[in-house]
Amino acid sequence: LGNGGSTLHVLKYLEDLYGDQWASFTVLLIHSGGYSQRLPSASALGKIFMALPFGDPVYQMLELKLAMYIDFPRHMKPGILVTCSDDIELYSTEVTETINLDKPGFTALAHPSDLAVGTTHGVFVLDPSSFSGKGGLEYTSCHRFLHKPDMGLMRQSGAVCMRGHCSSGNHGDPGMASECVYTDSIFYMDHLTAKQLLMFYKQMGTLCYEIDAYGDFLQALGPGATPDYTKNMSNVTKEDLGLVEVRQQLYSLLRGTALNVIVLNNSQFYHIGTTQEYLFHFTAESKLRFELDLLPVAFSIFPDTAKTSDQSSVIQSILEPRCVIGPGSVIEYSRIGPEVSVGKSSIVSGSYINFSVDIPSHCFLSSVTVKINDQVEYVTMVFGIGDDLKKTVKLLSDIRSLQFFGASLAECLDLWSVEASDRLFSSWNTHLGLWTARIFPVCSTLSESVRMSLKMLNSVQHMSPFKLSGFRLLSVEEMLAYKDVEDMLKFRKQIYDEICLQRQKEDSVE
């Protein structure tokens, strides 16, 4: 559906539940996080339920979102506030300034960003007559909205602003420090606009295309909007002429609708939707870590003899004495045994490791419970932190260009005695990639599934054979289709209960 399609679906759901009553509602709509291919530890349960390294017990992204937006409803007319689940917007305004979401059409928040950031986000071309660039908060109107534009388009369309103190995270040439663009984060639409979109959705009947709430709704807005974007397929997972038609219909429907922009000059937009961003913000000396006071150890059992650094992050986990966690690594919802060492900049999620092992640096390890034919079993995905799970090839002969932990997938298959055939991939179409490769062994216990996946990884690192024959193998795509959320939550709850029990013991001793 894409986040646009799911937005339309939610509007329909609200009407089914409440009839005309929903016309008076103020609604917060958070997209829970799609496939999460760039941060697969959040794929099974959704990015909105991602644990954060603070709070006692730990907060999830959902609590942070509710806390950040707590002031909005008071200054909001009936309508929908739309936000993603993997971004954090922090801002400061004067005591007298409020963010009012009360105008007809769309209203979006805008943040000053480096031009490089603009290429992966939405960028506002602000109307110069309504925008001065002064003060902490400014209400302006938007001439045109660009979705993931390149540098040339940003300059050409007048999106680049000169401001001495504009970029709060400028990494460019100091001489260019005053250049910035205003990027998007959350947006509001009033009830009448939402109703128009709902009518459109009902007329469509079934939605067969991936619609983007940012690209496909916002690019239609503002006096400078043109329909050119409807044919641009660069950010789409499935190309289709039908999608162009749907986008053109949306463009006709929304054309002429206002796009109001609230510029927050003292603000910072943080995205934590990729493994690299996640590790950086949770473990490095990042601004976000400082602003939210993120902890190196949050709600965990952590014996004195376990070794870790201030640059790592342990979230609701149980560490045994003598285990070692390298700098820059994140451990969440896991049990780590005494003979375990985790290298630098790795992610371990939802795993139980009760055997002696050295987990290499830059390793991504995440376990999922699956239910197949009413049988509860376990699979652990393992990748390199930099592996591209979105990359696909169309032909079997091209799979050597897919990289798994620094080696070609074709080489890995040889080491694992797995045949490269059409049956190797779970996707029915020609999208062959790490996401759809059936390479992860299904095991009867959680720790055994971790052990087998680490053996696969070890075989690639040392170029030594490890036979996967005899195992049922799943792709990440299939793990999510068979996921057993209840069992995964049960494992988290066991860890939670054990931490609470340990704390009670400690309190009674004191």
Side-chain angles (χ1 to χ4, degrees):
L1 279 176
N3 56 28
S6 57
T7 300
L8 299 175
H9 184 72
V10 167
L11 298 180
K12 171 90 170 62
Y13 189 72
L14 283 173
E15 191 183 59
D16 291 348
L17 275 179
Y18 298 106
D20 290 339
Q21 225 188 320
W22 80 284
S24 62
F25 290 178
T26 49
V27 178
L28 172 61
L29 193 161
I30 310 176
H31 297 121
S32 67
Y35 288 135
S36 191
Q37 287 173 299
R38 295 178 303 166
L39 185 62
S41 48
S43 297
L45 296 171
K47 289 181 192 168
I48 193 60
F49 303 113
M50 200 159 49
L52 298 166
F54 73 118
D56 190 38
V58 292
Y59 291 125
Q60 293 178 320
M61 201 63 182
L62 178 60
E63 278 104 353
L64 181 60
K65 287 263 160 192
L66 294 174
M68 287 191 305
Y69 304 153
I70 199 163
D71 290 334
F72 290 166
R74 262 187 307 208
H75 308 284
M76 181 174 163
K77 281 195 171 157
I80 316 276
L81 184 67
V82 178
T83 179
C84 290
S85 51
D86 58 5
D87 57 29
I88 295 170
E89 303 85 23
L90 301 179
Y91 60 90
S92 65
T93 55
E94 297 298 326
V95 181
T96 52
E97 296 173 322
T98 53
I99 291 178
N100 295 317
L101 303 168
D102 55 3
K103 291 192 173 69
F106 287 78
T107 302
L109 299 189
H111 313 271
S113 300
D114 287 359
L115 270 60
V117 172
T119 59
T120 57
H121 289 270
V123 171
F124 301 103
V125 180
L126 300 172
D127 172 8
S129 66
S130 70
F131 175 61
S132 71
K134 296 183 174 71
L137 180 148
E138 197 173 355
Y139 287 86
T140 69
S141 63
C142 182
H143 176 67
R144 184 181 167 198
F145 177 83
L146 311 171
H147 189 55
K148 301 186 179 178
D150 59 31
M151 298 279 188
L153 182 59
M154 287 191 269
R155 292 188 188 284
Q156 203 183 316
S157 49
V160 179
C161 300
M162 300 301 286
R163 277 225 0 249
H165 53 283
C166 142
S167 180
S168 32
N170 202 296
H171 309 299
D173 169 4
M176 308 287 279
S178 57
E179 277 195 326
C180 77
V181 287
Y182 285 94
T183 53
D184 66 338
S185 61
I186 63 181
F187 69 84
Y188 158 85
M189 53 179 156
D190 73 326
H191 179 71
L192 279 172
T193 308
K195 205 162 175 134
Q196 267 184 299
L197 283 168
L198 175 59
M199 297 282 287
F200 165 80
Y201 183 54
K202 286 177 171 166
Q203 283 161 1
M204 287 271 309
T206 317
L207 194 61
C208 310
Y209 309 103
E210 191 179 329
I211 295 180
D212 182 10
Y214 295 83
D216 296 337
F217 294 172
L218 302 185
Q219 279 185 110
L221 310 175
T226 66
D228 303 350
Y229 72 88
T230 57
K231 297 188 179 70
N232 178 354
M233 290 289 160
S234 59
N235 295 307
V236 178
T237 48
K238 223 165 45 189
E239 291 184 31
D240 206 307
L241 286 175
L243 175 61
V244 175
E245 203 180 311
V246 173
R247 282 177 171 177
Q248 283 168 343
Q249 289 171 334
L250 271 169
Y251 173 76
S252 308
L253 173 81
L254 293 171
R255 209 173 95 194
T257 305
L259 176 52
N260 307 292
V261 177
I262 302 175
V263 172
L264 295 167
N265 278 317
N266 303 324
S267 70
Q268 189 80 22
F269 171 91
Y270 297 96
H271 187 255
I272 46 177
T274 70
T275 49
Q276 273 96 343
E277 290 168 335
Y278 176 84
L279 287 171
F280 173 71
H281 288 307
F282 284 9
T283 68
E285 289 301 310
S286 81
K287 238 179 134 182
L288 178 70
R289 199 178 186 200
F290 170 73
E291 290 192 56
L292 289 182
D293 201 11
L294 302 182
L295 305 167
V297 179
F299 195 69
S300 294
I301 292 180
F302 191 85
D304 298 341
T305 53
K307 285 201 178 69
T308 176
S309 80
D310 277 349
Q311 262 100 43
S312 55
S313 180
V314 179
I315 309 166
Q316 196 167 319
S317 294
I318 295 173
L319 274 60
E320 300 273 348
R322 300 192 312 285
C323 71
V324 179
I325 311 296
S329 289
V330 177
I331 312 292
E332 60 153 12
Y333 297 123
S334 294
R335 290 171 176 271
I336 309 288
E339 308 294 316
V340 179
S341 80
V342 178
K344 288 189 299 205
S345 304
S346 290
I347 295 172
V348 177
S349 173
S351 298
Y352 177 30
I353 314 176
N354 61 351
F355 49 90
S356 168
V357 68
D358 292 339
I359 296 173
S361 295
H362 311 291
C363 169
F364 174 88
L365 185 82
S366 178
S367 304
V368 177
T369 310
V370 292
K371 202 175 207 170
I372 304 170
N373 305 329
D374 276 338
Q375 186 81 23
V376 174
E377 297 184 280
Y378 303 89
V379 198
T380 297
M381 58 178 105
V382 64
F383 293 106
I385 285 292
D387 289 353
D388 184 354
L389 273 63
K390 280 191 164 186
K391 183 178 175 174
T392 58
V393 295
K394 288 198 163 68
L395 302 170
L396 266 179
S397 52
D398 293 337
I399 63 171
R400 59 175 51 87
S401 71
L402 298 170
Q403 291 282 309
F404 176 91
F405 218 92
S408 131
L409 183 61
E411 279 180 287
C412 299
L413 296 173
D414 286 345
L415 291 169
W416 303 327
S417 307
V418 173
E419 191 194 341
S421 70
D422 288 342
R423 292 219 21 82
L424 175 66
F425 295 92
S426 57
S427 214
W428 48 269
N429 57 15
T430 51
H431 283 182
L432 317 177
L434 292 182
W435 188 256
T436 54
R438 292 186 167 121
I439 52 176
F440 298 111
V442 179
C443 299
S444 57
T445 67
L446 182 53
S447 64
E448 194 56 19
S449 87
V450 177
R451 186 198 295 265
M452 290 306 139
S453 293
L454 285 173
K455 280 189 170 174
M456 287 170 61
L457 180 59
N458 186 54
S459 104
V460 172
Q461 279 194 292
H462 297 101
M463 286 294 155
S464 58
F466 171 64
K467 275 198 169 61
L468 280 179
S469 44
F471 284 102
R472 173 172 185 159
L473 302 174
L474 293 185
S475 66
V476 180
E477 180 179 57
E478 287 174 317
M479 286 184 208
L480 299 181
Y482 294 125
K483 68 182 179 184
D484 181 353
V485 169
E486 226 166 293
D487 190 81
M488 292 175 75
L489 292 177
K490 198 166 87 184
F491 178 66
R492 292 185 176 192
K493 179 79 166 74
Q494 284 167 351
I495 292 176
Y496 174 87
D497 289 343
E498 208 169 309
I499 293 168
C500 291
L501 200 66
Q502 169 87 2
R503 295 200 161 185
Q504 280 171 349
K505 280 185 195 160
E506 284 169 6
D507 290 347
S508 63
V509 169
E510 282 168 24

